[in-house]
Structure formats: structure tokens, C-alpha cells
Amino acid sequence: MKKKGLRFYAGIYFRILAQDLKSKMSYRADFIISTIGMIFTNISGFVSFWILFRSFPSVNGWSYHEMLFLYGFSLVSLTPVQCLFDNNWSLRQYVYSGDFIKYCFRPINLFFYYQSEVFDIKGLGQLAFGIGTIAYSWGKIGLAFTPLMLIKLIVFLMTASLIMIALQNAGAATCFWIQNSFYVLDLAFRFKDYAKYPITIFSPVFRFIFTFLIPIAFIAYYPSLVILRPDQVPLLSWLSPLVGIVFFWLSYKLWMYGATKYSGTGS
Amino acid sequence: MKLKKYLTLTRAGIIEALQFRLATVVMVIGNLLYLIVVYFLWKAIYASAGTDVVNGMTFSDTLVYLVLATALFNFMEMYTVWEIGRSIQSGKIILDLIKPIEYRKYLFWSYSGTFVTQFLFTFLPTFIVVAAVTHGAIHLGVNLLFFAAAVVMAVSINYSIDFLVGTVCLFTESIWGINIMKQVIVLLLSGATIPLAFFPEKLRSVVELLPFAAIYDVPLRFLLWDGISMEPQEPWCMLLFQLFWCLVMMILSKLFWKASLRQITVNGG
């Protein structure tokens, strides 16, 4: 099969996206309630953050606004997985019911086609909250604002977002082997809540685990150091884009490997 | 023989829960990771506070509170909203409604098997480990009786809230959104994520009057109660407060369900 170009895929993506949005709009009440639910989640996150840290000037050498920056950073870098890869949550049902077979018969990349089918608009609220938080804490900390900084921020945000996508892909892909993969996926999803804390609060053993085994430290901590502490950026921070890409590639391979193992239900 | 039919549902639930052993293993791993994060986070917070006691709680108090809140959550979360919502969407609810047992009771008792397994396999081990590790942060005395009574009422209040919210699904067709709103509110305002003692004074005085506080905060405070830290009448007041909400929520959820049932339209599943 001839490899298809990026433009071809982008064209298809937007066409599928339009269909998905149309079908979502026909359940308007559900859409509105879900959006409110998402806003609730974000507000509750901020309230918890505020209650926890309001009375302490700094935690582990991190000032209140630096912690807030980290929080905002994690919100933005977790948006792509929410918006673009939400269909992972349905994978186990498709595999279980046998409907997954329909994806296998398309002459385009299986993974791409599967993920492009759902776009979760709710996630955009989180993006707005995240950008607002970054901008606010950026001003409060008094960081300089240069075009170079902005480019750095965007590059590191994008690569950081690959980590959570990779974890979700891998979690979802387990359903090709085990039946009730919801718990695995849910476990992976809960990691996102831990990304907003500086990794330095952990003991060395867990610092190692959260850096190399379950790489949640790359969702916000390491990449945000590039912006927050430009004078003393550790090597791992510079490596974080590479880590993101490698983990994403691995999860993609695992997902596709599972999909080729898929034998259908015979119906 | 009335109890027998309920206990049959309990037994079926236990058997069902034992089928999903892998799920339990994964859940335990998830909880352990959560507890590790909580431990280090609060350790850092207490280290930066510079004092041993913050808002009347020591580090080990806070840890006991949060660890057992998680254990209680696992044991009390019944996914009632999902259950009701899915039954409505699939039409299965019709079959449940014509059963010769009240739907509210049927749902509760068919879940009670999970209570038993969760209590034995999650809550009890966690409780024993925490009690052993913290040496004396949990007082083993009359407060355990209060705790037991409080947990029973907490389960009831939690179920009533769930059922009330689940009933809303009859009107909205949105399960995810309704459920996440409920979950966020309950977890935050009940003290399950942050002990209520850490809330700012004004916010706290309001939150402590809401039914959510009766779900996690009251039982956990009984557990940390060492017999001298409260006025003699205070434990009784706390129980009365729970009982009040227990009854109010039960009546509310029953009435709302009855009123909603008249409006029900379900696709012919």
C-alpha cells in the first residue's frame, strides 16, 4: 500500500471531525451537562489547590505561584489526550462486541482512523483554564516574556502532552488481551492528578519510579523547569521532548500490535 | 423471611465481585500509588509549615484521615448513578421496575455483596495496617462503636444522594456529566480529598452543615477521637446530625423517585 501524505490525513481528519460534532450536537442536553461537569471538575481542582497551599508561603522550595504554574502547565499538557484521544475509553466495548472489525477494513492507518472518530470538545474548557493559570502565574512570578520563551513553552507543552497520550494508549490497548481493561485505563488516567506536584517532594526511589517507569514527572515537572528555572535546567528537562516522542511511539506500536492480534468475535 | 430475599442478592453480589479479581489487583495498585503521592505531598506540606500540628491535626492524624477516607470511598462507591443511567438507556430498568421489590431497595441490596467483599478485602486490611503503623493515632475504644454507627449512616446518606442524582438521569440522558458533578462535589465537600479542618474558617462553617460532611468527615473524626478532644455531648450531636441528614436524604430521594417515575419514558428495550 502506498503511503499517504500528511495533507490527505489532515483532510480526512477534519471531515470525520465535522461528522462527530454534528452527531454530538444532536444530544444537546448531554453536551451542555457534560461541559458543566467538566467546568466543575476544574473549579474543584482549583479550590483544592487553594485550600491546600494558601497558608504556606512555599512547599519544598516551590513558591505558591510556581506551584500554580506547574498546575496550569499540567492542565494544558493534558488537554490533547482529553480532546483527541477520548475514543480510547470505548475501545474495550468495540473489541468486546466485535464492532472493532469495522476499523480494520479501511485503507488508512488503523490507529489514526480509530482515534480521529471522536473529538471531545469538553477538553477545550480545560485548555482555557490552563492557559489562564499559566498566564496569571507567569505575571506573578515576574518571568520575562520573549518570543523564544513562548516557542519553548509551546514545544515543551506539546511534547509533554505525548506522555499522557502514551499512557492512555497503552492502558486502552490492554483490552486486546484482558477482558475488563477499564480498571487499567482508569489507573493510567488517575496518574494525571499526580503530575501537578514537583517531583522533588518524593523520596529518591519514587522519584526514579515516577521519572523512568511511570513517566508522570515529564507531564509537567521537567518540561516546566525550562521556563521556571532557566538558569539551572537539568538534562532530563532537555530530554523531555525526546521522552515524550519515544513513549508515544512505543504506545503506538503496542496498540497496533494488539490490533493485529485482534481476531474478532466471529459475528 | 423478608431478610432472606435481600441476603440472596448480597450473596449473588459477592460471587459476582469475586469474578473480577484482576480488577481488584489493579485497583489496589492504583490506591497504593495514590497513597504514596498523598504521603509525600503532606509530608512536604508539614515540613514547610514548620510546626507539628496544623489546624489541630498532626501529620499522622492527617494521613490516617486521608488513607481511611480512600478506603471508605472504595467501600461506599456503588456506581449507582451509572447503574441507573445505563438501565434507563438500555431499557433494562423496566424489568427491574416490575420486580416485586422496590427499585431503590433492589439496587441497594444487589450491591450489598460488594460491600461485604470490599469491607473484608480493602477496608479491614487498610484499617489494621494503619492502626499498626501509626501506633495509637487510632484509639481503640468506645469511639470504634461510634465509628461503626457513623459508617452505617454514611453509607445510607451516600446511597440516597447517589439515588437522587441517578433519578435525574431519567430526565437528562446524560450520565457522565451528572455523575462527575456529583462526584466532584461529594469528594471535595465531604473532606475525602482534603480534611475539612484545613478549610478556611468561613467556608468550613458552611460545609460542616451540609450532608456531605456526614459521609466522610464525621466517621473519620470519630476514628481520630481519643476520648478527651471533644466535649462529652459532641459525639452525640454528630450522630444526631448524621441521623437528621440520613432521614432527610432518604425521604427526599424516595419522593423524587416517585414523582419522576410518573414521567418516565424509556425506549422499548
Side-chain angles (χ1 to χ4, degrees), chain B residues 26 46 61-62 77 86 105-106 118 149 152-153 183 199 205 214-215 228 230:
Chain B
V26 174
Y46 270 86
D61 281 348
T62 311
E77 177 58 89
R86 284 218 196 91
K105 283 187 186 147
Y106 166 74
Q118 289 291 345
V152 172
M153 281 195 278
Q183 195 171 323
F199 280 46
S205 55
I215 303 176
I228 42 170
M230 284 189 217

Side-chain angles (χ1 to χ4, degrees), chain B residues 195-264:
Chain B
L196 290 190
F198 284 82
F199 280 46
E201 203 54 53
K202 272 185 196 145
L203 188 63
R204 188 181 157 188
S205 55
V206 178
V207 169
E208 278 187 339
L209 296 176
L210 299 176
F212 312 113
I215 303 176
Y216 291 99
D217 194 53
V218 170
L220 292 170
R221 266 165 62 197
F222 277 133
L223 218 51
L224 293 172
W225 170 39
D226 54 7
I228 42 170
S229 59
M230 284 189 217
E231 303 285 321
Q233 74 275 18
E234 207 183 332
W236 298 104
C237 288
M238 278 155 71
L239 278 186
L240 269 181
F241 164 74
Q242 269 197 313
L243 189 65
F244 167 76
W245 276 117
C246 188
L247 293 175
V248 169
M249 293 317 289
M250 196 186 284
I251 293 166
L252 269 182
S253 72
K254 272 190 179 179
L255 286 181
F256 186 46
W257 174 250
K258 248 190 198 143
S260 311
L261 215 61
R262 279 187 226 120
Q263 325 246 343
I264 187 174

Side-chain angles (χ1 to χ4, degrees), chain A residues 55-157:
Chain A
S55 33
F56 309 106
S58 74
V59 171
N60 208 274
W62 286 68
S63 75
Y64 179 80
H65 290 106
E66 282 174 326
M67 296 280 286
L68 202 60
F69 183 89
L70 204 59
Y71 186 26
F73 195 98
S74 76
L75 281 183
V76 176
S77 77
L78 292 171
T79 301
V81 73
Q82 181 75 39
C83 285
L84 306 174
F85 292 83
D86 205 42
N87 216 15
N88 270 332
W89 288 96
S90 318
L91 185 63
R92 81 202 141 90
Q93 279 136 14
Y94 283 117
V95 168
Y96 183 75
S97 68
D99 288 338
F100 186 72
I101 204 78
K102 83 170 187 195
Y103 299 99
C104 304
F105 292 136
R106 300 289 189 275
I108 49 175
N109 183 296
L110 177 63
F111 179 76
F112 167 82
Y113 179 53
Y114 184 78
Q115 302 294 357
S116 66
E117 212 180 42
V118 170
F119 180 86
D120 191 19
I121 323 169
K122 297 193 294 291
L124 293 179
Q126 182 176 322
L127 182 68
F129 271 105
I131 292 176
T133 312
I134 290 184
Y136 171 78
S137 50
W138 191 300
K140 284 278 173 185
I141 301 169
L143 292 168
F145 187 80
T146 57
L148 181 68
M149 285 280 253
L150 189 66
I151 292 169
K152 263 195 218 164
L153 180 69
I154 293 171
V155 168
F156 278 84
L157 273 173

Side-chain angles (χ1 to χ4, degrees), chain A residues 26-56:
Chain A
S26 59
Y27 297 95
R28 200 154 302 185
D30 179 51
F31 171 70
I32 293 167
I33 293 169
S34 303
T35 310
I36 299 173
M38 199 73 184
I39 293 172
F40 261 65
T41 319
N42 280 308
I43 291 176
S44 132
F46 278 103
V47 172
S48 320
F49 183 90
W50 174 71
I51 292 174
L52 260 189
F53 299 113
R54 91 207 131 91
S55 33
F56 309 106

Side-chain angles (χ1 to χ4, degrees), chain B residues 40-115:
Chain B
F40 284 110
L41 176 65
W42 285 91
K43 210 174 148 186
I45 287 176
Y46 270 86
S48 62
T51 50
D52 286 344
V53 180
V54 180
N55 293 315
M57 290 175 87
T58 63
F59 176 58
S60 60
D61 281 348
T62 311
L63 215 59
V64 169
Y65 186 106
L66 288 168
V67 170
L68 290 176
T70 313
L72 274 182
F73 173 78
N74 288 327
F75 151 70
M76 282 200 280
E77 177 58 89
M78 316 193 3
Y79 302 99
T80 314
V81 180
W82 282 104
E83 194 69 36
I84 299 177
R86 284 218 196 91
S87 309
I88 292 168
Q89 282 187 347
S90 69
K92 174 182 173 280
I93 196 163
I94 291 298
L95 295 174
D96 296 335
L97 287 176
I98 56 176
K99 284 196 173 74
I101 175 170
E102 209 183 308
Y103 184 62
R104 196 176 178 282
K105 283 187 186 147
Y106 166 74
L107 209 58
F108 182 82
W109 287 98
S110 48
Y111 230 88
S112 57
T114 322
F115 279 162

Side-chain angles (χ1 to χ4, degrees), chain B residues 167-180:
Chain B
T167 312
V168 178
C169 289
L170 282 173
F171 303 96
T172 62
E173 296 168 2
S174 170
I175 315 174
W176 188 89
I178 296 278
N179 187 58
I180 197 86

Side-chain angles (χ1 to χ4, degrees), chain A residues 88 91 111 114 169 173 176 251-259:
Chain A
N88 270 332
L91 185 63
F111 179 76
Y114 184 78
N169 284 342
F176 291 116
S251 76
Y252 168 74
K253 283 289 167 200
L254 179 74
W255 202 98
M256 286 301 263
Y257 177 71

